[in-house]
Amino acid sequence: MKQEETRLVTVAAESSRSGLPDSKRKRGHHVLSAAVFLAAVTGAAPTMAGSSDSSTAASQKDPATQESAKVSPGDPASSARQVRVERRTPSYWRVTFDNPPFNIFGPETIPQLNEVITAIENDPDLKVVVFDSAVPDFFLTHYDFIPPLSASTGLPSGTTGLHPLPDMLVRLSRAPIVSISLIRGRATGVGSELALASDMRFASREKAILSQWEVGAALVPGGGPMARLPRLVGRGRALEILLGANDIDGDLAEKYGYVNRSFPDDQLDGFVDAFAMRVATFDNQAIADTKRLVDFASLPSDPEIAAGWNAFITSVQRPQAQAKIKQLMQLGLQTDPEIEIRLGHYTETLGQD
Amino acid sequence: MKQEETRLVTVAAESSRSGLPDSKRKRGHHVLSAAVFLAAVTGAAPTMAGSSDSSTAASQKDPATQESAKVSPGDPASSARQVRVERRTPSYWRVTFDNPPFNIFGPETIPQLNEVITAIENDPDLKVVVFDSAVPDFFLTHYDFIPPLSASTGLPSGTTGLHPLPDMLVRLSRAPIVSISLIRGRATGVGSELALASDMRFASREKAILSQWEVGAALVPGGGPMARLPRLVGRGRALEILLGANDIDGDLAEKYGYVNRSFPDDQLDGFVDAFAMRVATFDNQAIADTKRLVDFASLPSDPEIAAGWNAFITSVQRPQAQAKIKQLMQLGLQTDPEIEIRLGHYTETLGQD
Amino acid sequence: MKQEETRLVTVAAESSRSGLPDSKRKRGHHVLSAAVFLAAVTGAAPTMAGSSDSSTAASQKDPATQESAKVSPGDPASSARQVRVERRTPSYWRVTFDNPPFNIFGPETIPQLNEVITAIENDPDLKVVVFDSAVPDFFLTHYDFIPPLSASTGLPSGTTGLHPLPDMLVRLSRAPIVSISLIRGRATGVGSELALASDMRFASREKAILSQWEVGAALVPGGGPMARLPRLVGRGRALEILLGANDIDGDLAEKYGYVNRSFPDDQLDGFVDAFAMRVATFDNQAIADTKRLVDFASLPSDPEIAAGWNAFITSVQRPQAQAKIKQLMQLGLQTDPEIEIRLGHYTETLGQD
């Protein structure tokens, strides 16, 4: 039951960039100036949270591993506030992701978001929360591939017994308030998964991009979309989104039911704000009691969510995924806006395994 | 297990109207000339039907309570025919709601509709039933708040063991015929719930309004929409409809799947009639056997419906709901067409509890 | 447990054609020159596969019956290749239905398609399969009514214990690859059911017609649409499709979610090919693991599919269905393109039973 040694994969980023034709790098961007370290544990990671046998997960943990899994205090980025809460009124909050340049979600984001979710669960006056972004072109995007995997797998389980990432998402879905994702820019990976865990989603027609890109990188998505998308949009469109792993714009997302509605970009904020203000006048007990019965009819079970998280953790350690992620990092994932903004395109350029 | 005493809330309607700006009262309408009595039992109502333990509900009932719950014979409105059946052919019936001015649904409507549902279940020649309205601007709307709550909670359980209102709705869903709601005007509360319990729904693009307005009055909807809407339109849109509690027009209802389709108003009747005539030529055994398997894949269980009804009954007795309903009655609910027609707007004006 | 004797119904096709007004036979077509034999077993068929008790189905079978159920080698049509496989690359196959003039699906098609499905399940390099048609106006249509019913009911069970037709469909849904139906022309009956069992469906806006026509012929559909459609498009639209039993064009199919999307006919092939080529670059383990979790959330169980098949077999033996099929055969079903192409219209002309 001990944590396996991590393997660091050195990516010589500069040399690999030459593989990209110039025509595909139209946007200006900073050059990757240092080697990027991509780390993953090899072999099994039996102590991670989110296993089906979540009841015993806590007791199986090696305290030392848990300690080392904490956000490294030496990293300035990890202590920066990536998730801001604005209490517009006691009953209406805005939660804003602000981790430029791409709103990448990493292990250090987890305790910050967990603090917000816990406040949402417990505030007696709160009725409605809107999630949005302060970063242009990005609502919230994929998981951070730079920290070692143990920084994620070593985090203590959440109150549901799940790994803290899916734990927060299922708690958001069940919170006795109305949660809304206001999607402008890219909602990929964790961004799409947070939106799907919200009660409803409204998107910019011109500026929203939703995607579950993971299969394009030989990964299985981990934050629940295999459970949530088929129940939301039906099996056919869910499989197209998940196995096609491509970028979905606001109009197609509305047509598919991936979002409730898309609006012209200049009307989106007004609509969401008016909707939130309206709901904020309603009775919180009626909201909670009504939502609880909808949840009974529509939410997946926690073990189903755990299975998805475990599949993600298994997939990220496979050589096929390591190779694809390495290729993407060499292309500019996490550094080059061109790659992040056109991620659906670039996953198709990686070639077959 | 005894019925609690009822509490009557006198609403001084005229005085409260002054709180509304004149600009919001453009439509002409009759002045509320008398005090309106809003009654509700306080505390628990343990003998009502529709409890999860429905198998024992009948035996727990106090016969005296059941007796007193019958529609009061002194009320002329209660004996009027609000639900008319026209047998266009032996296999094709129209059921028309005709309770002007608003098609409000009250405890006295229940035995009338029950008679119709029972006929639908048992007629060997029937194949298709279309529900429509004879009242302009209203398909069928919310529950009547004037009779004492005991007139509703005291009604004997239906054959499913549920309270007779949800009982009729689940029986309609399972009836071995095709049921269609032709929605012109407002389908709010019970109106929306009857439409959702029908096999399919076709709406006027210009004249249909669907809504589950209840949360806007601090109520939980009682006729099953928390069970039916997420399965029909997905969790996100269901929560928007239920927690936003706003008016949904024909086009948005179609986009969301709340109705099968909306049609230009002048084409709606022709389409529905042709569809009904077509199905009326088909074999009733093939209809029944096909529908039964769809039901298996799509209908909620009776206990899930019971939970929704119980949540409604609990909510209507809470002071928050009593206060909101009182405010709405003072504004003109059940008397002023302006309030009934723009109900989604007026729930937003009531202020926070 | 023995197979009942079959009853042959002779249809005097020529004489019955006079009942059709000339205006309804605009398209040129060959005259039905010989009597058509419509066969069905009478009474129960207890040894057929697909019973709920599928675990014992194989042992209950009479070996002689199984032998006789094999495709008759003397029939030249049965040995013709109706299902062709083109391996565009090792990871991307096209499966093309080519049984002119209507792509009717009969008992002799079953072993051919079974061979393809088995190859799909077992090829280690395969990632994506596209089903299409080489027959103008027809993707794949209804079951063949000319062979005796015993040619279908006598076929040995598939590996799931279901009758081989539903067996192949559920195996396709669970195969660890991406399956796509490219629908141009009519997808009726088995054609619609194969499309629904595929992972996703893309349709020609101008040339696709989807339908579950069976209730119009007093039949219950047998290949799973009562299980699959409500989960895909919601109960209301599923009941409209199944009980209305009418033709659905590409745009309405997209609006309802019956297909993922419809495209202008000249863009359909390009879109599907690009989608397939994209997915073919992805990792097959990530595809399989992601799909498996979507399947958990969205696929019906095998006993639910078995119930649908059994309901079909029961329905086809009822006199009401025999009479309607006889009428349709007399009109020109399986011989006259007019009838096949406008099947939704002609089922409405058969009159009440």
Side-chain angles (χ1 to χ4, degrees):
Chain A
M1 293 297 175
K2 66 183 171 64
Q3 187 81 13
E4 299 284 336
E5 198 181 9
T6 61
R7 178 170 57 89
L8 300 181
V9 180
T10 304
V11 178
E14 294 83 356
S15 62
S16 68
R17 291 291 295 283
S18 58
L20 243 195
D22 277 341
S23 64
K24 291 188 177 174
R25 285 184 279 155
K26 273 172 258 166
R27 293 165 179 263
H29 42 69
H30 44 94
V31 174
L32 195 63
S33 59
V36 175
F37 291 90
L38 168 67
V41 299
T42 55
T47 62
M48 60 166 293
S51 71
S52 306
D53 187 16
S54 57
S55 58
T56 60
S59 59
Q60 289 175 346
K61 281 225 184 84
D62 179 346
T65 304
Q66 285 194 57
E67 195 60 29
S68 69
K70 284 185 181 162
V71 178
S72 57
D75 181 358
S78 70
S79 53
R81 200 23 69 190
Q82 299 176 9
V83 188
R84 291 191 280 103
V85 178
E86 177 199 356
R87 287 167 171 76
R88 292 210 176 171
T89 75
S91 54
Y92 169 25
W93 300 358
R94 301 284 283 221
V95 177
T96 302
F97 295 102
D98 190 8
N99 185 26
F102 306 129
N103 266 345
I104 286 173
F105 187 101
E108 83 285 358
T109 322
I110 288 179
Q112 295 190 23
L113 184 57
N114 188 54
E115 198 178 298
V116 174
I117 301 291
T118 304
I120 286 171
E121 289 177 313
N122 291 298
D123 190 289
D125 296 321
L126 182 64
K127 298 180 191 173
V128 55
V129 174
V130 175
F131 290 91
D132 62 12
S133 164
V135 176
D137 297 332
F138 293 89
F139 171 72
L140 182 67
T141 192
H142 57 78
Y143 207 74
D144 190 350
F145 290 99
I146 295 178
L149 184 60
S150 62
S152 296
T153 56
L155 290 168
S157 298
T159 55
T160 59
L162 295 168
H163 180 275
L165 177 50
D167 171 79
M168 288 189 298
L169 298 179
V170 304
R171 285 163 54 209
L172 176 62
S173 294
R174 292 201 197 104
I177 53 84
V178 182
S179 57
I180 301 170
S181 284
L182 186 166
I183 305 173
R184 177 178 283 116
R186 178 172 281 277
T188 287
V190 183
S192 168
E193 291 161 357
L194 178 94
L196 289 168
S198 302
D199 293 342
M200 51 197 93
R201 293 148 290 286
F202 299 103
S204 165
R205 184 163 292 166
E206 299 91 347
K207 297 187 178 172
I209 295 289
L210 290 94
S211 84
Q212 296 288 163
W213 72 297
E214 290 88 342
V215 169
L219 297 168
V220 178
M226 289 85 79
R228 291 197 182 91
L229 273 171
R231 290 176 167 93
L232 196 63
V233 307
R235 183 175 191 269
R237 288 167 171 176
L239 286 171
E240 180 189 344
I241 294 166
L242 288 161
L243 303 182
N246 214 338
D247 297 343
I248 309 281
D249 66 23
D251 278 340
L252 187 60
E254 172 183 293
K255 185 183 283 185
Y256 277 17
Y258 196 169
V259 298
N260 285 42
R261 274 187 262 181
S262 66
F263 289 92
D265 191 70
D266 61 1
Q267 298 174 21
L268 175 64
D269 294 309
F271 173 83
V272 172
D273 200 54
F275 187 92
M277 302 269 280
R278 172 180 175 82
V279 171
T281 70
F282 293 167
D283 177 65
N284 52 10
Q285 189 71 44
I287 291 170
D289 290 349
T290 300
K291 180 173 164 177
R292 192 178 302 113
L293 287 163
V294 172
D295 287 353
F296 178 82
S298 62
L299 285 184
S301 71
D302 287 357
E304 188 177 344
I305 295 292
W309 179 257
N310 293 345
F312 162 65
I313 294 296
T314 300
S315 71
V316 77
Q317 301 173 73
R318 295 177 60 242
Q320 290 82 352
Q322 290 282 313
K324 294 247 186 188
I325 297 165
K326 182 174 171 178
Q327 276 184 285
L328 285 165
M329 296 295 272
Q330 288 170 334
L331 284 172
L333 192 75
Q334 308 209 174
T335 50
D336 182 347
E338 163 69 8
I339 307 303
E340 290 289 344
I341 285 171
R342 299 183 62 215
L343 187 55
H345 166 72
Y346 283 102
T347 54
E348 195 173 329
T349 67
L350 306 178
Q352 299 207 24
D353 50 84
Chain B
M1 294 295 175
K2 66 181 172 64
Q3 187 80 13
E4 300 284 335
E5 198 180 9
T6 61
R7 178 169 57 89
L8 300 181
V9 180
T10 304
V11 179
E14 295 81 358
S15 62
S16 68
R17 290 292 294 283
S18 58
L20 245 195
D22 278 342
S23 64
K24 292 186 177 175
R25 285 183 280 155
K26 272 172 258 168
R27 294 166 179 262
H29 42 70
H30 46 94
V31 173
L32 195 63
S33 59
V36 174
F37 291 90
L38 168 66
V41 299
T42 55
T47 61
M48 60 168 292
S51 73
S52 306
D53 187 16
S54 58
S55 59
T56 60
S59 59
Q60 289 176 348
K61 283 224 181 89
D62 179 345
T65 303
Q66 286 194 54
E67 195 59 29
S68 69
K70 285 188 181 159
V71 178
S72 57
D75 181 0
S78 71
S79 54
R81 196 32 63 192
Q82 299 175 9
V83 188
R84 291 191 279 103
V85 177
E86 177 199 355
R87 287 166 171 75
R88 293 210 175 171
T89 75
S91 56
Y92 169 24
W93 300 357
R94 300 283 283 220
V95 177
T96 303
F97 295 102
D98 190 8
N99 185 25
F102 306 129
N103 265 344
I104 285 173
F105 188 101
E108 83 284 359
T109 322
I110 288 178
Q112 295 190 24
L113 184 58
N114 189 53
E115 199 178 297
V116 174
I117 301 290
T118 304
I120 287 172
E121 289 177 312
N122 292 297
D123 190 289
D125 296 321
L126 183 64
K127 298 180 191 173
V128 55
V129 174
V130 174
F131 291 91
D132 62 13
S133 163
V135 176
D137 297 333
F138 293 89
F139 171 73
L140 183 67
T141 191
H142 58 78
Y143 207 74
D144 190 349
F145 290 99
I146 295 178
L149 184 61
S150 62
S152 297
T153 56
L155 289 169
S157 299
T159 55
T160 59
L162 296 167
H163 179 274
L165 177 49
D167 171 79
M168 290 188 297
L169 297 178
V170 304
R171 286 164 52 209
L172 176 62
S173 294
R174 291 200 199 106
I177 52 86
V178 182
S179 57
I180 301 170
S181 283
L182 186 166
I183 305 173
R184 177 177 283 117
R186 177 172 282 277
T188 287
V190 184
S192 168
E193 291 160 358
L194 178 94
L196 289 169
S198 302
D199 293 343
M200 52 197 92
R201 294 148 290 287
F202 299 103
S204 165
R205 185 163 290 166
E206 299 90 347
K207 297 188 178 171
I209 295 289
L210 290 93
S211 84
Q212 295 288 161
W213 71 296
E214 291 89 341
V215 169
L219 297 168
V220 177
M226 288 85 79
R228 292 198 181 90
L229 273 171
R231 290 175 168 94
L232 196 63
V233 307
R235 182 174 191 268
R237 289 167 171 176
L239 285 171
E240 180 189 344
I241 293 165
L242 288 161
L243 304 182
N246 214 338
D247 296 343
I248 309 281
D249 66 23
D251 278 338
L252 188 59
E254 173 182 292
K255 184 182 283 185
Y256 278 17
Y258 196 168
V259 299
N260 287 42
R261 276 187 261 179
S262 67
F263 289 91
D265 192 68
D266 61 2
Q267 298 174 21
L268 175 63
D269 294 309
F271 173 84
V272 171
D273 200 53
F275 187 93
M277 301 270 279
R278 172 179 174 83
V279 171
T281 70
F282 293 167
D283 177 64
N284 52 10
Q285 190 71 42
I287 291 170
D289 290 348
T290 300
K291 179 173 165 177
R292 192 179 301 114
L293 286 163
V294 172
D295 287 352
F296 177 83
S298 61
L299 284 184
S301 71
D302 287 357
E304 188 178 343
I305 295 292
W309 178 257
N310 292 346
F312 163 66
I313 293 296
T314 300
S315 71
V316 77
Q317 301 172 72
R318 295 176 60 241
Q320 289 83 352
Q322 289 283 312
K324 295 247 185 189
I325 298 164
K326 181 173 172 178
Q327 277 183 285
L328 285 166
M329 296 295 272
Q330 287 170 333
L331 284 172
L333 192 75
Q334 307 207 173
T335 51
D336 182 347
E338 163 70 7
I339 308 302
E340 290 288 345
I341 286 172
R342 300 184 62 215
L343 186 56
H345 165 73
Y346 284 102
T347 53
E348 194 173 330
T349 66
L350 305 179
Q352 301 207 24
D353 49 83
Chain C
M1 292 295 176
K2 65 181 169 67
Q3 188 80 13
E4 299 285 336
E5 199 180 7
T6 60
R7 178 171 57 89
L8 300 182
V9 180
T10 304
V11 179
E14 294 81 356
S15 62
S16 69
R17 290 292 296 282
S18 58
L20 244 196
D22 277 341
S23 63
K24 292 187 176 174
R25 285 183 278 155
K26 273 172 258 168
R27 295 165 179 262
H29 43 71
H30 45 93
V31 173
L32 195 63
S33 60
V36 175
F37 291 90
L38 169 67
V41 300
T42 55
T47 63
M48 59 167 292
S51 72
S52 306
D53 186 16
S54 57
S55 59
T56 60
S59 60
Q60 289 175 347
K61 283 229 182 82
D62 179 345
T65 304
Q66 285 194 55
E67 194 59 29
S68 70
K70 284 186 181 162
V71 178
S72 57
D75 181 359
S78 70
S79 55
R81 201 20 74 188
Q82 299 176 8
V83 187
R84 291 191 279 102
V85 178
E86 176 199 355
R87 288 167 170 76
R88 293 210 176 172
T89 74
S91 55
Y92 168 24
W93 299 359
R94 301 283 283 220
V95 177
T96 302
F97 295 102
D98 190 8
N99 185 25
F102 306 130
N103 265 345
I104 286 173
F105 188 101
E108 83 285 358
T109 323
I110 288 179
Q112 294 190 24
L113 184 58
N114 188 54
E115 199 179 297
V116 175
I117 302 290
T118 303
I120 287 172
E121 290 177 312
N122 293 297
D123 190 289
D125 295 322
L126 182 64
K127 298 180 190 174
V128 56
V129 174
V130 174
F131 291 91
D132 62 13
S133 164
V135 176
D137 297 332
F138 293 89
F139 170 72
L140 182 67
T141 191
H142 57 78
Y143 207 73
D144 190 350
F145 289 99
I146 295 178
L149 185 60
S150 61
S152 297
T153 56
L155 289 169
S157 299
T159 56
T160 60
L162 296 167
H163 180 273
L165 176 48
D167 170 79
M168 289 188 299
L169 297 179
V170 304
R171 285 163 53 209
L172 176 61
S173 294
R174 292 200 198 107
I177 52 85
V178 182
S179 57
I180 302 170
S181 283
L182 185 167
I183 305 173
R184 176 178 284 116
R186 177 172 282 276
T188 287
V190 184
S192 167
E193 291 160 358
L194 178 94
L196 289 168
S198 301
D199 293 342
M200 51 197 93
R201 293 148 291 286
F202 299 102
S204 165
R205 185 163 291 166
E206 299 91 346
K207 297 188 178 171
I209 295 290
L210 290 94
S211 84
Q212 296 289 162
W213 71 297
E214 290 88 341
V215 169
L219 297 168
V220 177
M226 289 84 80
R228 291 198 181 91
L229 273 171
R231 291 175 166 94
L232 196 63
V233 306
R235 182 174 191 268
R237 289 167 171 176
L239 285 171
E240 180 189 346
I241 293 166
L242 287 161
L243 303 182
N246 214 338
D247 297 342
I248 309 281
D249 66 22
D251 278 340
L252 188 60
E254 172 181 293
K255 185 183 280 183
Y256 277 17
Y258 196 169
V259 298
N260 285 43
R261 276 187 261 180
S262 67
F263 289 90
D265 191 69
D266 60 2
Q267 298 173 22
L268 176 64
D269 294 309
F271 173 84
V272 171
D273 200 53
F275 187 93
M277 301 269 280
R278 171 180 175 82
V279 171
T281 70
F282 294 167
D283 177 64
N284 52 10
Q285 189 71 43
I287 290 169
D289 290 348
T290 300
K291 180 172 163 177
R292 191 178 303 113
L293 286 163
V294 171
D295 287 352
F296 178 83
S298 62
L299 284 184
S301 71
D302 287 356
E304 188 178 343
I305 296 292
W309 179 258
N310 293 344
F312 163 66
I313 294 296
T314 300
S315 71
V316 76
Q317 301 173 73
R318 294 177 60 242
Q320 290 83 352
Q322 290 283 312
K324 294 246 185 188
I325 297 164
K326 182 174 171 178
Q327 277 184 284
L328 285 165
M329 296 295 272
Q330 288 170 333
L331 284 172
L333 193 74
Q334 308 209 171
T335 50
D336 183 347
E338 163 70 8
I339 308 303
E340 290 289 344
I341 285 172
R342 299 184 61 216
L343 186 55
H345 166 72
Y346 284 103
T347 54
E348 193 172 331
T349 67
L350 306 179
Q352 300 207 25
D353 49 84

